[in-house]
């Protein structure tokens, strides 16, 4: 997936936390679909609940996690890919293998210098 670090940085600074969270989830879905995984990531952003329940459905496997909205906002403020990194690390622990591409390099802060 082609992504710009500068644009993502502007989004992290200007988007509301719920909108930024939605953007990150959409990026993860698109990335997994590019890797030919059948993917859905429903989540429950209830205004009354301080936590967000996230369900990753990847190739008929189900993985669930919960994050506080406070933690999500802190990660948004830490850096444009900090929230992505948290979610990808969760998926890695569940056995999802990452591929080397531009988006994953941004997420993990790995850039090739030729």
């Amino acid at each position: 997936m082609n992504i710009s670090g500068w644009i993502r940085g502007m989004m992290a600074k200007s988007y509301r936390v719920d909108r930024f969270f939605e953007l990150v989830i959409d990026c993860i879905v698109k990335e997994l679909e590019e890797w030919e995984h059948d993917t859905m990531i429903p989540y429950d952003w209830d205004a009354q609940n301080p936590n967000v329940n996230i369900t990753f459905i990847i190739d008929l496997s189900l993985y669930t996690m919960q994050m506080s909205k406070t933690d999500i906002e802190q990660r948004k403020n830490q850096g444009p890919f900090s929230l992505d990194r948290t979610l990808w690390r969760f998926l890695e622990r569940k056995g999802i293998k990452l591929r080397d591409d531009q988006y994953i390099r941004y997420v993990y802060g790995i850039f090739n210098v030729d």
Side-chain angles (χ1 to χ4, degrees), residues 36-104:
E36 299 183 4
H37 290 287
D38 188 23
T39 305
M40 287 179 35
I41 308 176
Y43 58 88
D44 180 18
W45 191 285
D46 179 352
Q48 305 303 320
N49 189 341
N51 298 311
V52 178
N53 298 310
I54 310 162
T55 303
F56 297 88
I57 305 168
I58 303 169
D59 298 330
L60 301 179
S61 293
L62 185 94
Y63 313 103
T64 60
M65 72 178 292
Q66 185 178 78
M67 288 184 74
S68 73
K69 291 177 184 172
T70 301
D71 191 30
I72 292 168
E73 185 163 22
Q74 287 173 345
R75 298 208 185 283
K76 173 187 172 290
N77 294 333
Q78 282 176 353
F81 294 97
S82 181
L83 178 58
D84 304 62
R85 193 167 35 256
T86 298
L87 297 172
W88 280 111
R89 285 181 177 156
F90 170 80
L91 292 174
E92 281 186 290
R93 288 191 303 273
K94 299 300 180 183
I96 301 298
K97 302 290 183 207
L98 302 186
R99 295 188 185 175
D100 182 22
D101 65 17
Q102 180 189 20
Y103 169 61
I104 295 299

